[in-house]
Amino acid sequence: MPGGVGGALRKLEVPVKRLIQGARTEQVLNPAAVDNPDLIAYFARLGAERKRRSAPHT
């Protein structure tokens, strides 16, 4: 789990949950506000993949 700058881990629980649910990064948080933006990108990719897989097939 990524931590916020200054170690504010709990403040990122909800944004990371929203990323995993498929929300876009810019809607959820500012990647510059976390200590490891690569992890935010990882959770965003994970959420996008989950969202893509759960979309109804047409």
Side-chain angles (χ1 to χ4, degrees), residues 29-50:
L29 59 85
N30 177 359
V34 297
D35 59 0
N36 190 343
D38 292 338
L39 284 175
I40 297 301
Y42 168 79
F43 287 116
R45 285 190 308 272
L46 178 66
E49 178 65 20
R50 287 177 46 135

Side-chain angles (χ1 to χ4, degrees), residues 12-40:
L12 290 176
E13 290 177 3
V14 172
V16 168
K17 176 182 174 184
R18 290 188 58 211
L19 288 172
I20 292 171
Q21 292 172 336
R24 296 178 61 185
T25 303
E26 58 273 6
Q27 294 174 325
V28 176
L29 59 85
N30 177 359
V34 297
D35 59 0
N36 190 343
D38 292 338
L39 284 175
I40 297 301

